[in-house]
Amino acid sequence: MISAGDLRKGTTFELDGQVYTVVDFLHVKPGKGAAFVRAKMKNVISGGVTETTFNPTHKLQEAVIERKEMQYLYTDGQLYYFMDQETFEQIPLNFEQVEEAIKFLKENMFAVIKFYKGEAFSVEAPNFVELQITHTEPGAKGNTATNVLKPATVETGAVVPVPLFVNEGDVIRVDTRTGEYMERV
């Protein structure tokens, strides 16, 4: 059990049968009246964000989220298959569970799968990936006065804004947390 006064960003807990992680929090001590904790929480299963106020002494049941690095194998069009490197067990996940990460994952790449009570609910791509550009328009010569970006499609199908000097066939490093171009490799 953890008290609401101990909430920090990233803390996971159970409330009303749901699992939440703290996105943002604020300890408020008004001049008059009792102190309270205002927390912005994200439901780890559904992804919904809510804001709630707690008494600092309110007790919450801590939730244990297991993180396991697994290898992305392939998709059959409906499900995405990941393999545990220790047991070689394959687990199928649906699109809703891999939606954020799959646009940056190639086959045989490693990703972190999050589990709650043995059930996978989310996939995290590595923070940085190197992907080849499969399609982009050629940059206009002389158009370099400002930091102009153009859309580029990478081998996984994601569209990433890149500088004009980047061409088809180039390999670029992408920050998967923001979807931004980092550098040419």
Side-chain angles (χ1 to χ4, degrees), residues 48-82:
V49 177
T50 58
E51 200 166 306
T52 307
T53 303
F54 296 105
N55 181 329
T57 59
H58 184 82
K59 296 290 183 196
L60 299 165
Q61 179 63 45
E62 194 168 4
V64 179
I65 304 294
E66 183 185 348
R67 299 167 56 93
K68 188 179 277 191
E69 187 174 62
M70 300 180 91
Q71 184 178 19
Y72 170 56
L73 297 177
Y74 65 94
T75 180
D76 63 5
Q78 299 274 319
L79 299 172
Y80 299 83
Y81 292 88
F82 291 83

Side-chain angles (χ1 to χ4, degrees), residues 66-163:
E66 183 185 348
R67 299 167 56 93
K68 188 179 277 191
E69 187 174 62
M70 300 180 91
Q71 184 178 19
Y72 170 56
L73 297 177
Y74 65 94
T75 180
D76 63 5
Q78 299 274 319
L79 299 172
Y80 299 83
Y81 292 88
F82 291 83
M83 182 174 66
D84 187 335
Q85 293 300 294
E86 295 166 9
T87 63
F88 301 107
E89 175 188 358
Q90 293 183 20
I91 62 164
L93 300 176
N94 61 33
F95 181 73
E96 288 76 31
Q97 295 167 313
V98 300
E99 187 172 9
E100 292 299 314
I102 201 64
K103 58 188 170 191
F104 299 112
L105 287 177
K106 295 190 294 186
E107 290 181 355
N108 300 321
M109 283 181 107
F110 289 92
V112 174
I113 313 291
K114 292 181 183 177
F115 293 88
Y116 176 67
K117 292 187 178 176
E119 290 293 319
F121 67 86
S122 173
V123 177
E124 277 183 9
N127 289 344
F128 302 100
V129 293
E130 294 177 2
L131 300 169
Q132 185 173 13
I133 295 178
T134 57
H135 176 73
T136 188
E137 298 296 324
K141 224 176 181 123
N143 191 2
T144 58
T146 59
N147 189 10
V148 179
L149 300 175
K150 62 181 180 178
T153 306
V154 294
E155 59 189 302
T156 59
V159 176
V160 179
V162 297

